[in-house]
C-alpha cells in the first residue's frame, strides 16, 4: 500500500500542494483528476522523489520512504512515467528497454516486452523518437512493466493521442493492474479514468476536494462541479492537447 500523508510541497516560495493525503491499496487503480495547475503532477513528483515536500510523508508498505532518493524508490518498486512519456528519443526501442532491464535478464525483458505489446517486436531497432505518440506511450508503459514494479505513476498517458489509441493504452493499463500492479494515474480523460479506476481523488488548487470509489462518481458531475466545464466532451481539458497519434 502506498500512502501520501499530509503532503505540503511546491517550488521555491510557491506552495502548490496543501495538506494532500491519498492512498493506493495494493493492486488497485487510483485516478487523480482536476483542472490545469491543480497540483496533480506535483503530487506524482513527490511520490517518485523528484520533488521533496516541505511537510508530510510518503509511506510504502508502512515504511516512510520520504527521505529516499528517486533511485532508491525505483528499487522499492515505484516507477514514474512522466507526462511526455520519458522515453529516450534518440535511442532505439531495444536500448530503451535494456536500460530498464535487470542485469542478466535482458533477453527475457525483451521477450516480455514483445509479448506485452507485440508491435514492439518488429521495431526493436527503430529509433524511439520515430515511433508514433501512441507507440512511444506504450513503450514507456512496457518499459515500466518489465521492471516488475509495485506501483506505477502514470502522468497523462492519453495526452495528445487519438481516442482509439487512448483506448488501447487504457486497455493495457487495465491488464497490468489485473496482474497486481498498483496504478496511480493522473488523467484528463475523465470517463476513461472512471472506468479503469477503483477510486478517484479530485484535486483543486492543491487540495483534495472530493474522493471516493470511482463507481460513485459521475462524469457530468465532475465536469460541471469540479472542472468548471459544462459539457462532458472528452478530453476534459481538450483546449491544450491536439489529437494525433
Ligand atoms: P497540468 O495538467 O497543467 O500539468 P497539474 O495539476 O499537473 O496541471 P502541476 O503541474 O502540478 O499541475 O502544477 C501546479 C502548479 O505548480 C502550477 O501553478 C504550475 O505553474 C506550478 N509549477 C509546476 N512546475 C513548476 C516548476 N518546476 N517551477 C515552478 N512552478 C511550477
Amino acid at each position: 500500500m502506498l500512502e501520501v500523508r499530509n503532503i505540503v510541497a511546491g517550488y521555491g516560495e510557491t506552495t502548490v500542494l496543501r495538506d494532500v493525503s491519498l492512498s493506493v491499496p495494493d493492486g488497485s487503480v487510483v485516478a487523480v483528476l482536476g483542472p490545469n495547475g491543480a497540483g496533480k503532477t506535483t503530487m506524482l513528483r513527490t511520490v517518485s522523489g523528484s520533488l521533496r515536500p516541505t511537510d508530510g510523508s510518503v509511506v510504502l508498505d508502512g515504511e516512510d520512504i520520504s527521505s529516499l532518493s528517486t533511485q532508491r524508490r525505483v528499487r522499492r518498486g515505484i516507477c514514474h512515467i512522466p507526462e511526455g512519456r520519458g522515453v529516450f528519443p534518440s535511442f532505439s526501442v531495444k536500448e530503451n528497454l535494456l536500460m530498464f532491464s535487470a542485469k542478466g535478464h535482458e533477453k527475457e525483458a525483451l521477450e516480455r516486452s514483445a509479448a506485452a505489446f507485440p508491435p514492439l517486436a518488429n521495431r526493436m531497432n527503430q529509433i524511439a523518437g520515430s515511433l508514433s505518440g501512441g507507440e512511444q506511450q506504450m513503450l514507456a508503459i512496457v518499459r515500466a512493466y518489465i521492471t516488475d514494479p509495485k506501483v506505477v505513476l502514470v502522468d497523462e498517458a492519453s495526452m495528445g493521442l487519438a481516442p482509439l489509441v487512448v483506448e488501447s493504452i487504457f486497455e493495457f493499463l487495465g491488464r497490468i493492474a489485473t496482474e497486481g500492479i498498483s496504478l496511480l494515474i493522473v488523467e484528463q480523460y475523465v470517463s476513461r479514468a472512471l472506468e479503469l479506476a477503483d477510486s478517484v481523488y479530485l484535486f483543486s488548487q492543491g487540495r483534495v476536494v472530493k474522493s471516493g470509489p470511482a463507481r460513485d462518481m459521475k462524469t457530468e458531475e465532475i465536469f460541471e462541479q469540479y472542472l468548471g466545464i459544462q459539457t462532458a466532451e472528452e478530453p476534459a481539458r481538450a483546449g491544450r492537447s491536439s489529437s494525433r497519434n
Side-chain angles (χ1 to χ4, degrees):
M1 162 105 119
L2 171 76
E3 292 166 275
V4 167
R5 295 184 184 159
N6 307 106
I7 288 286
V8 178
Y11 305 93
E13 297 289 292
T14 311
T15 300
V16 174
L17 298 178
R18 301 160 193 277
D19 198 22
V20 167
S21 296
L22 57 80
S23 57
V24 185
D26 286 346
S28 70
V29 181
V30 173
V32 174
L33 309 173
N36 289 348
K40 305 178 300 293
T41 294
T42 303
M43 190 276 303
L44 292 188
R45 297 187 67 214
T46 63
V47 174
S48 68
S50 60
L51 181 71
R52 290 302 163 106
T54 49
D55 206 354
S57 52
V58 178
V59 175
L60 184 66
D61 297 335
E63 184 194 352
D64 189 337
I65 58 166
S66 311
S67 61
L68 297 187
S69 65
T70 301
Q71 209 49 43
R72 283 183 184 275
R73 292 185 205 199
V74 169
R75 282 192 219 121
R76 300 290 172 102
I78 296 180
C79 192
H80 185 184
I81 303 173
E83 191 175 332
R85 291 141 202 156
V87 299
F88 295 100
S90 54
F91 287 88
S92 69
V93 168
K94 187 173 169 180
E95 285 163 340
N96 267 278
L97 292 167
L98 291 178
M99 281 177 218
F100 279 56
S101 318
K103 278 215 170 7
H105 297 272
E106 289 86 353
K107 187 165 174 278
E108 183 193 332
L110 295 179
E111 284 169 3
R112 277 186 74 197
S113 304
F117 184 53
L120 288 183
N122 302 324
R123 291 166 189 248
M124 286 293 173
N125 295 320
Q126 191 170 332
I127 295 301
S130 70
L131 297 174
S132 69
E135 288 164 344
Q136 287 187 40
Q137 186 63 66
M138 284 303 292
L139 173 59
I141 300 170
V142 168
R143 202 174 58 164
Y145 170 69
I146 61 171
T147 67
D148 288 324
K150 252 187 198 154
V151 188
V152 182
L153 317 175
V154 191
D155 200 349
E156 306 262 18
S158 62
M159 178 63 72
L161 302 178
L164 270 179
V165 179
V166 174
E167 199 169 306
S168 63
I169 284 166
F170 270 68
E171 196 187 313
F172 186 65
L173 288 173
R175 190 143 47 95
I176 69 174
T178 62
E179 293 184 18
I181 297 171
S182 309
L183 300 176
L184 179 56
I185 62 169
V186 163
E187 235 335 294
Q188 57 171 334
Y189 263 95
V190 174
S191 57
R192 287 219 183 278
L194 292 182
E195 276 168 30
L196 178 66
D198 298 298
S199 55
V200 174
Y201 290 80
L202 279 169
F203 277 37
S204 178
Q205 298 184 353
R207 295 182 194 278
V208 175
V209 289
K210 186 178 168 78
S211 64
R215 62 175 178 276
D216 295 345
M217 304 259 181
K218 302 271 177 290
T219 304
E220 289 74 15
E221 185 193 355
I222 290 175
F223 270 90
E224 289 168 17
Q225 291 185 16
Y226 299 98
L227 299 178
I229 297 169
Q230 291 305 311
T231 70
E233 268 175 35
E234 298 274 25
R237 293 172 291 110
R240 68 187 196 131
S241 63
S242 61
S243 261
R244 62 181 166 79
N245 66 2

